[in-house]
Amino acid sequence: MTYIGKLGKLQVSEKNLGYFLVIPALAVVAVMAFWPTLAAFWMSLHDISLIFRTNRFIGLENFRTMAGDPGFRNALHNTVYFTAVSVALEALLGLVMALVMNGAFRGRGAVRASVLVPWAIPTVVTSTMWKWIFNTDYGLLNFLLKRFHIVSTYLNWLGDGKLAMGCAIMADVWKTTPFIALILLAGLQTISHDLYEAAMIDGANWWQRFTRIMLPLLLPIGLVAVLLRTLDAFRVFALIFVLTGGGPADATEVLSTYTYKVLFSTSNFGYGSALAVSMFISVAIISLVFLNFIRLGSRSS
C-alpha cells in the first residue's frame, strides 16, 4: 500500500486521503441538502397546522389524503403535461438551433451570443415580460394578431383555461430552448469531421449522415440535456406563479405552486411537506430512468 501523506501522527493511504478530502464537501451537502430533506420527510408524517395549533404524529395519513385529493391529481396532471410538451418542443427546437449554429456562415459568433439572451434573463423578469405580451387589452400578441387580421377580437390568453397552459409552455420554450441548443452544439463540436468526410466518400447523403453519425453520437449528451430540462420543468414554480398564479380555475396549477399554497396559504405544514416529498420521489424516479437511458445510450454509441 502506498502512503502519500501524514496528518499529524495519522498515516493515510491514497484511497483514504480521497475520502478525507471530500469530508468538508459532504458535510456542507449534509447540512444544506440532507437535513432539510430528512426534516421534510419527518414533517410529512405529522399533522402540523399553525391555524389549528396541532402537531401530532399521524404516520402515512397525509399520503393517503394525497391519493384522494383532486387538487393534487390536477396539479400532477398539469405538471406532467407541462413537462412533456415543453421539454419535447425544447429538444426539437434546440436541435435545429444547434445544427444552424454549427454551420459556417458570416456572423455566427453574434448569433451564438444572441441565443444566450433569453436563457440569461432571470425567470421572474421573463415571466413578467410574457405576462405583458399576453395581456388582453395592451399585449403585443393581441396587437399583432389583430393587425394582420388573424383574429377579429382580442383573446384572453391568461384568463382562458384552454389557452393559459399553452401560454406558459410558450414562455418556457422561449426561455430555455437555448440551454439545450448550447449543450447540443457542444456535442456537435466534438464529432470529428473525418467521420462526415468518410461517409461522403461512401456516398452518404445529408440525411444518412444525420441519422447514422450525428444522432447516435449526440444521444448521450442529448439525454443529459433532456434530463436537466425535465427535472427543471417538473419543478417549475416562478414562471407559473408570476404568469398565472396557477389559474384560471387551477388550469395551470402545478405541483410546486400547489405545494406552496398548501404550505403558506393554509399553513398546513404536514400535508404540504407530504406534497414536497412526493415531488422529491418523482424527481428521483425520473433521474433514475434517465440515467439508465444515458448508460444504454453511451454503450450503443
Side-chain angles (χ1 to χ4, degrees):
M1 179 178 294
T2 302
Y3 291 93
I4 63 173
K6 289 184 177 181
L7 296 174
K9 296 181 179 180
L10 178 65
Q11 286 186 322
V12 293
S13 67
E14 184 175 359
K15 179 181 178 181
N16 291 333
L17 179 62
Y19 291 136
F20 184 81
L21 292 176
V22 300
I23 286 177
L26 289 177
V28 172
V29 172
V31 173
M32 302 298 294
F34 291 158
W35 173 249
T37 302
L38 292 176
F41 270 100
W42 181 246
M43 291 174 65
S44 70
L45 303 176
H46 289 72
D47 176 20
I48 304 175
S49 174
L50 294 184
I51 296 177
F52 300 105
R53 298 182 180 278
T54 57
N55 187 355
R56 58 189 179 89
F57 183 81
I58 57 173
L60 299 176
E61 185 60 32
N62 282 326
F63 294 95
R64 283 193 285 268
T65 302
M66 190 189 309
D69 182 3
F72 169 73
R73 291 200 295 269
N74 174 66
L76 180 62
H77 171 269
N78 290 338
T79 303
V80 173
Y81 180 79
F82 176 87
T83 302
V85 176
S86 61
V87 173
L89 291 175
E90 289 160 14
L92 180 61
L93 295 175
L95 178 60
V96 174
M97 292 172 63
L99 292 174
V100 171
M101 291 188 293
N102 193 46
F105 57 90
R106 182 176 295 179
R108 185 176 62 176
V111 172
R112 290 181 177 180
S114 62
V115 164
L116 283 171
V117 173
W119 184 56
I121 298 175
T123 303
V124 173
V125 177
T126 299
S127 306
T128 305
M129 180 187 72
W130 279 98
K131 191 173 184 177
W132 277 104
I133 291 175
F134 291 130
N135 185 279
T136 303
D137 300 320
Y138 313 105
L140 178 64
L141 185 58
N142 270 337
F143 171 78
L144 293 176
L145 291 176
K146 194 169 183 180
R147 181 68 177 270
F148 291 102
H149 306 290
I150 297 176
V151 298
S152 57
T153 58
Y154 286 168
L155 298 177
N156 189 5
W157 296 101
L158 301 179
D160 188 328
K162 296 179 181 178
L163 300 176
M165 180 58 82
C167 295
I169 291 173
M170 184 186 298
D172 189 67
V173 169
W174 180 84
K175 175 175 172 51
T176 53
T177 295
F179 174 75
I180 290 185
L182 290 175
I183 293 180
L184 294 180
L185 176 62
L188 288 173
Q189 297 287 309
T190 63
I191 300 176
S192 173
H193 287 280
D194 294 342
L195 295 175
Y196 298 125
E197 293 173 359
M200 292 174 67
I201 293 174
D202 291 338
N205 56 32
W206 182 88
W207 179 251
Q208 290 171 326
R209 297 195 301 273
F210 175 72
T211 56
R212 299 181 183 182
I213 297 177
M214 195 177 297
L215 278 184
L217 294 178
L218 269 182
L219 184 60
I221 194 169
L223 286 173
V224 171
V226 172
L227 167 62
L228 295 176
R229 275 302 306 140
T230 300
L231 298 181
D232 202 26
F234 196 86
R235 296 179 288 110
V236 63
F237 176 77
L239 178 71
I240 298 293
F241 189 77
V242 174
L243 202 60
T244 64
D250 298 336
T252 59
E253 192 80 275
V254 292
L255 281 177
S256 56
T257 55
Y258 185 62
T259 302
Y260 171 84
K261 290 175 182 177
V262 171
L263 275 169
F264 298 104
S265 297
T266 66
S267 298
N268 191 344
F269 288 92
Y271 188 53
S273 298
L275 291 170
V277 168
S278 72
M279 287 188 63
F280 175 83
I281 294 173
S282 300
V283 168
I285 293 173
I286 292 172
S287 300
L288 290 175
V289 171
F290 268 93
L291 288 175
N292 283 329
F293 278 122
I294 291 171
R295 187 167 59 250
L296 293 175
S298 300
R299 290 176 181 174
S300 63
S301 62

